[in-house]
Amino acid sequence: MLARYFRLLPVDDYRRSARRHDREILALAVPAFGALVAEPLFLMADSAIVGHLGTTQLAGLGVAATLLATLTGVFVFLAYATTAAVARRIGAGDRRAAIQQGVDGVWLALLLSAVLVAVTVPLAPWLVGLFGASGSAAPYAVTYLRISALGIPAMLTVLAATGVLRGLQDTRTPLAVAVAGFSANALLNLGLVYGAGLGVAGSAWGTVVAQNGMAAAYLAVVLRGARRHRASLRPDPAGIRACARAGGPLLVRTLSLRAVLVIATAVAARLGDVQVAAHQVAMTLWGLLAFALDAIAIAGQAVIGRYLGAGDVAGTRAATRRMVQWGIGAGVVLGLLVAAGRPLYVPLFTPDAAVQARLAEVLLVVALVQPVSGVVFVLDGVLMGAGDGAYLAWAMPATLAVFAPAALLVPATGGGLVGLWWAMALFMLARLVVLGWRARGGSWLVTGAVRA
């Protein structure tokens, strides 16, 4: 299916093409990877600081942080759709329109965040209750969630503005802002939690201040570009609606992916405490591996959008071919590291021998799937960069329909946690089929400054 991406070229032509695309990919992917890990670092810093207050405080933070990540995570399309749309206009040579598209995306983020804050603050106790927080942890969770919700406008603005800069082929600025934001978050939390004695509330306020600082930095860059290229800063209803239409299909994709993760966790919980503990660690490691592979996908969004905007179909194919090769190579390396390093890192997560044994078994499956994941992440990014959201909106629910029955049958068939992770492998293989089939054809190769 993917053979089309490995057509043989004359050796010299192939090497020149590969070197050119390697420079493009690395220049975008390496800084993108650094920026991607910033959000988990925010949570890790909060957890480390709050953890010294007590177990109930940490439990409350865990519930609230999960809720906040769920509420805001579904709007990641603000970054993805904006990246593709801005990159197309850059490829077409219209920088003013590119920045205008980004401004419209920021306005959409602000409108969505206003609704989200209005819902989250008053419903915080009910939302915490849905997650089954204990009576002692719930008050801390409600406090953290209500204060952190005030940072939602900044969080969504950061998503949209990140998409703008990626579309402009700039992933270094997001890295710099992410590093500064993480550093400020850690210092503010230490000062407010312990210095000011605000406890969990201090951690939430520190994160809100850091997130608003990041949003301000992004907006300064976008505003400077808008002034330089005379793009309007006023909300344009037509432009905002266009951003929403482009993001709608990606919202469906993201919700389907979230459903996969929820089903997997629910099934693991039914298998017993040992299995769910091992599953949680495996999912954490899976997420870390995804950051490395997603960095290549982000490069794909920016590069493919630019090539299609310039009307360069041959360049689009060549860049896709090279990124698929990068995805396979990165997947093989990560898989080998996961498999070979198990005796070294598995004991770091738990002293329980039973959990260690289950985790070691599951991680072999995780390792085997990494090359497949590498291709899947790349092709997902390529199709996003092409603005092929309508197909992705169909493809992800289709793969969810493959995964859900396989996962839900695991307890009945006695497949255990390894069986559940083979269902996850089946999910990734299904994604490879539907994305590879699409990429092999030409329907997604729509050129021009705007995808019709």
Side-chain angles (χ1 to χ4, degrees):
M1 180 176 291
L2 297 175
R4 187 169 193 161
Y5 294 117
F6 298 96
R7 290 174 177 165
L8 294 178
L9 298 173
V11 174
D12 289 344
D13 290 347
Y14 173 80
R15 287 176 177 171
R16 282 194 296 271
S17 175
R19 283 196 295 268
R20 177 166 59 88
H21 290 304
D22 287 348
R23 286 193 296 270
E24 287 184 320
I25 294 166
L26 289 173
L28 292 167
V30 173
F33 173 74
L36 282 170
V37 301
E39 191 63 32
L41 288 176
F42 266 62
L43 181 57
M44 287 174 62
D46 287 358
S47 298
I49 292 168
V50 171
H52 288 84
L53 295 174
T55 301
T56 54
Q57 288 90 335
L58 182 58
L61 170 66
V63 170
T66 301
L67 272 165
L68 198 63
T70 301
L71 290 169
T72 58
V74 296
F75 296 108
V76 72
F77 70 82
L78 289 167
Y80 293 160
T82 303
T83 297
V86 171
R88 274 185 175 271
R89 286 165 171 78
I90 289 296
D94 192 346
R95 199 171 187 85
R96 178 183 178 279
I99 294 175
Q100 186 66 61
Q101 177 77 37
V103 171
D104 293 335
V106 171
W107 277 112
L108 176 61
L110 292 173
L111 291 172
L112 290 173
S113 62
V115 175
L116 206 53
V117 172
V119 170
T120 303
V121 172
L123 294 182
W126 178 75
L127 291 170
V128 167
L130 284 179
F131 272 63
S134 67
S136 57
Y140 295 111
V142 171
T143 296
Y144 189 93
L145 182 59
R146 278 182 165 158
I147 296 172
S148 295
L150 302 178
I152 288 175
M155 295 169 70
L156 297 193
T157 297
V158 166
L159 282 176
T162 299
V164 177
L165 295 180
R166 289 174 182 170
L168 294 172
Q169 317 297 294
D170 176 9
T171 56
R172 293 185 179 183
T173 300
L175 173 60
V177 174
V179 170
F182 167 71
S183 302
N185 177 68
L187 292 174
L188 285 166
N189 279 9
L190 282 171
L192 293 173
V193 171
Y194 298 115
L198 296 179
V200 169
S203 176
W205 280 118
T207 301
V208 168
V209 172
Q211 288 166 339
N212 276 277
M214 292 173 66
Y218 276 118
L219 289 176
V221 174
V222 174
L223 291 174
R224 186 166 62 246
R227 292 194 189 98
R228 182 182 301 126
H229 298 281
R230 298 181 181 178
S232 174
L233 297 176
R234 295 179 180 178
D236 176 17
I240 294 171
R241 285 195 299 270
C243 290
R245 284 195 300 271
L250 296 181
L251 176 61
V252 174
R253 168 199 170 276
T254 302
L255 289 172
S256 299
L257 180 58
R258 290 276 174 180
V260 169
L261 302 179
V262 169
I263 290 171
T265 301
V267 171
R270 293 180 61 189
L271 298 175
D273 290 345
V274 169
Q275 286 81 357
V276 76
H279 175 76
Q280 182 57 39
V281 176
M283 286 298 293
T284 300
L285 291 171
W286 178 279
L288 288 174
L289 295 169
F291 284 132
L293 299 175
D294 203 33
I296 305 174
I298 286 171
Q301 293 172 29
V303 170
I304 296 304
R306 192 185 79 237
Y307 274 115
L308 290 176
D312 186 355
V313 173
T316 302
R317 285 287 193 191
T320 301
R321 178 174 58 245
R322 192 58 178 167
M323 281 185 284
V324 166
Q325 292 169 348
W326 270 92
I328 294 172
V332 169
V333 171
L334 291 174
L336 290 173
L337 290 173
V338 168
R342 289 176 301 150
L344 298 175
Y345 64 79
V346 165
L348 299 176
F349 289 98
T350 174
D352 190 314
V355 176
Q356 289 182 11
R358 297 291 80 73
L359 182 58
E361 293 172 348
V362 165
L363 289 174
L364 278 179
V365 181
V366 172
L368 287 171
V369 174
Q370 289 312 297
V372 174
S373 298
V375 179
V376 167
F377 274 66
V378 165
L379 293 181
D380 201 38
V382 164
L383 295 179
M384 284 185 192
D388 201 21
Y391 183 82
L392 293 173
W394 169 87
M396 188 63 81
T399 55
L400 170 60
V402 172
F403 167 77
L408 294 173
L409 284 172
V410 166
T413 58
L417 191 62
V418 172
L420 174 60
W421 276 87
W422 278 120
M424 290 288 288
L426 177 63
F427 166 66
M428 296 305 295
L429 286 170
R431 291 186 70 189
L432 177 64
V433 170
V434 296
L435 295 177
W437 179 82
R438 182 65 166 182
R440 184 174 182 273
S443 300
W444 60 281
L445 291 165
V446 179
T447 59
V450 180
R451 183 183 173 98

